[in-house]
Amino acid sequence: MGSPATGMVLTMLIVTDEEYASDATEAAVLSARQHPMRILTLIPRPGRGPDQIDAQIKVGGDDGPGEVAIVRLRGNRSAHANSVVIPLLLPDTPVVAWWPADAPPVPADDSIGRYAQRRITDLSTSPDVPKALAERRAGYVPGDVDLAWTRLTSWRSALASMLDLTQGPIRSAVVSAEPDNASAILLASWLRECLNAPVEFRTSEGPGITEGVLITPAGDLRIARPDNNVASLSRPGVPDSTIALPRRPLPELLSEELRRLDPDEIYGEALLGTASASSI
Amino acid sequence: MTNPLRDPRDRRLPKVAGPCSMILFGVTGDLARKKIMPAIYDLANRGFLPPGFGLVGFARREWADESFAAEVHDAVREHARTPFREDVWAQLSAGIRFVAGDINDPKAYGRLKAEVSALDRERGTMGNRVFYLSIPPGLFPVVVSNLRGSGLTESHEDEWRRVVVEKPFGHDLASAEALDVGLGEAFAPDEIFRIDHYLGKETVQNILAVRFANAMFEPIWNCNYIDNVQITQAEDIGIAGRASYYNSIGAARDVIQNHLLQLLALTAMEEPPSFSSDQVHAEKEKILSAVQLPDDIDLHTARGQYAAGWQGGVPVAGFLEEEGIPPDSTTETFAAMRVTVESRRWAGVPFYIRTGKRLGRRVTEVAVIFKRAPHLPFASQAVEELSDNALVFRIQPDEGITVRFGSKVPNTASMEVRDVTMDFQYGESFVDTSPEAYERLILDVLLGEPPLFPNSTEVDLSWRILDPVLDRWAELGQPPQYASGGWGPASAYDMIARDGRTWRRP
């Protein structure tokens, strides 16, 4: 790819298996409309068969301003993806690594992850969320971030706006969600860190997070989202209202993630805080 | 009390506007339909509007709430930037009300007040109000005095009132001051938001970012290195059905007074100590008060009216033949002038400003043109094709920055230097997702953040600059005609040629 990197703001390294490759690449391509980038999708395919590298390159076209290379590394080449990556990184611009599933234990120490200042994982694709969460916590290095956290932004924003209008202390809080929902666990931990108050986790039928309640002496501030889309807000002395609180598609999450590339300290604190809440 | 869920390090959480109702005057206007209503929907869709938000339309139509909501719906469907989502619409439309009435009828304002108070109870808009006057400025006094008479502008503790007005902010200094006095009867200066959609553009804000966030531009941003600055706003279209408005305004009042002098201020201002609203305004005011017109206005300004002709392969009518324009109209559709900024930084650097209708193409840009290198160690024929270095802020379209400099022509037997350009594309690749200026500005009104709105001092200073030119032009009668599809009248070329310079072709 000797093309000039005009206007490109970052290099995105997607490390994935075949199952997630096309969805992740497509999400990155859509996100490139906001963040013009070079996308390298690396698909290690260890195992028998010839040792070879297959690459597919797309430049320009209707997909937006990004450049895309999908690289399959077969046989023993699969362990050396980093050697393929080095010459393809855009000069002097940030590098982001993204594991749509199966992230390494310490992303910052990974052979690909070590080039990236921002390392994106996704707890929601893990078959065993508590175990994966413990792994993320143990391997956390500032610069790591998880899409389970990104998914929370609209919830966190809605809760914060509710609190903008309220005086007085928060006694406690409740988060209701499907069992083992990584976002809900992070939400509970974040609330605990911010409010310095007990946060109860209640299991619900879902989908996803269904309710967040802040309990104040004046009454409850409640956001309930039973159906994945529209939430109702209630607080004492004010008529109930509704807001749209949809689950956002992957490209939107990724675009939010790429807006800032410095470490997300708040995420770090919420993630590490999940340790003390391991009872939930 | 600070909100424990808002940590300054937490940059993800958007600032969501507080609960409020927006009372919109001029709901049937183009601006309301094409810009304001879609922007409100887009804000809702992006999660920036509070759940307690109400939109109240006021007009002389026998509409029910639903029929007004249907109007808004159509406007949103047609013009919103973000995809239409039923759930977002349901949330927004539940807060839409309509009050039928004549703006001269005090009783109608009583009904308006009742409706707005009902919204406070039903939707939790908490008594906060934005009055959006999307109506001709001549109607402001009656609206403001009726609003005041009805008690709608009185606020209790913890409540706020804001009023939004659109340009033109008067047609000269005296009328601008009168306008301020009228609005001032009911609103404090910091409650008045003057919308100039240009200032909401990302690329306009980017002028300050580029200048003050970087090390490499500011050292040469002065009269030692800069030869002149050319600020252009060109339209390829004519007056497009706005005859009565345009005929009373003209190009200079329509564009120079607000957009172009603001662009000049942003280009020329000193670095503010911070980007707080007060400090940015203070720096802009300093520049505007240092702007001087040439002694001889006739020699260094130009004006014109577009003549019938061809543009883009299509025959087009001349300004005087447009429907609604009297054949003896003296309104200019092209205006250009030279100004200087009397300061150490800008001593001797002319700022050339021009705007017009039916010009070569639609473009707005600020071009900073540098002096020649003090010495060129090349044979004169080697640099024949080298012109002055330039740095161009492209405001629209193709938002971005162009830098022009000389580079060696490859494969020539001897040294040859020719102009090349280096482009930074700010907007083209994400034009479908970058927010409309109106979204940004309306959100700033709801948040009460005024840095992007010109204050009354800036408006008055701009008129002070422009008034002598307008007075002189008024004495001269009908402006000369210029060919449609070109870059303005011959006098525009003459005025810059007198200084030994040429206009850049944008």
Side-chain angles (χ1 to χ4, degrees), chain B residues 290-337:
Chain B
V291 169
Q292 288 289 321
L293 286 175
D295 292 334
D296 189 334
I297 287 174
D298 292 354
L299 289 181
H300 301 291
T301 68
R303 61 192 186 123
Q305 291 175 336
Y306 59 83
W310 287 80
Q311 188 174 41
V314 180
V316 290
F319 177 65
L320 297 176
E321 296 133 36
E322 299 271 13
E323 207 182 317
I325 300 294
D328 59 349
S329 169
T330 58
T331 304
E332 81 283 355
T333 64
F334 177 95
M337 60 186 62

Side-chain angles (χ1 to χ4, degrees), chain B residues 485-501:
Chain B
W487 289 103
S491 55
Y493 292 95
D494 295 343
M495 70 168 254
I496 197 166
R498 270 183 204 109
D499 297 343
R501 298 189 177 90

Side-chain angles (χ1 to χ4, degrees), chain B residues 98-167:
Chain B
F98 186 77
V99 175
D102 188 306
I103 57 168
N104 296 303
D105 174 16
K107 284 200 211 94
Y109 292 78
R111 294 199 296 279
L112 182 60
K113 188 179 185 202
E115 196 62 70
V116 174
S117 307
L119 266 183
D120 287 344
R121 289 191 303 277
E122 293 161 20
R123 301 281 301 165
T125 48
M126 311 277 280
N128 299 319
R129 279 146 214 187
V130 179
F131 302 95
Y132 200 125
L133 308 186
S134 180
I135 49 176
L139 299 172
F140 290 176
V142 58
V143 171
V144 169
S145 96
N146 277 327
L147 283 175
R148 198 165 63 127
S150 70
L152 268 166
T153 56
E154 283 161 30
S155 55
H156 305 286
E157 205 185 340
D158 296 338
E159 295 175 355
W160 48 258
R161 301 284 179 272
R162 287 172 199 145
V163 65
V164 182
V165 296
E166 294 270 349
K167 66 157 190 147

Side-chain angles (χ1 to χ4, degrees), chain A residues 33-34 118 145 149 156 160 163-164 194 229-230 233 239 241-244 246 256-257 260 264-265 269, chain B residues 1 3-7 9-14 16 19 51 85 87-88 91 121-122 429-430 432-433:
Chain A
R33 288 170 193 260
Q34 277 189 52
R118 189 77 161 184
V145 78
W149 174 248
R156 296 196 304 123
L163 209 49
D164 281 337
C194 294
N229 229 346
V230 179
L233 273 61
S241 50
T242 56
I243 54 164
E256 172 182 324
E257 216 39 75
R260 305 192 54 78
D264 185 339
E265 298 164 50
E269 287 163 17
Chain B
M1 194 188 83
N3 182 340
L5 298 184
R6 292 209 186 271
D7 186 317
R9 295 170 304 157
D10 193 344
R11 306 290 289 271
R12 286 175 197 260
L13 293 193
V16 177
R85 296 214 297 242
D87 46 346
V88 174
Q91 174 208 346
R121 289 191 303 277
E122 293 161 20
S429 33
F430 22 57
D432 53 351
T433 45

Side-chain angles (χ1 to χ4, degrees), chain A residues 64-90:
Chain A
E67 303 172 324
V68 186
I70 299 167
V71 184
R72 289 185 173 79
L73 303 119
R74 298 177 199 272
N76 69 11
R77 307 277 158 97
S78 63
H80 302 284
N82 61 329
S83 67
V84 174
V85 162
I86 294 174
L88 298 179
L89 299 177
L90 292 170

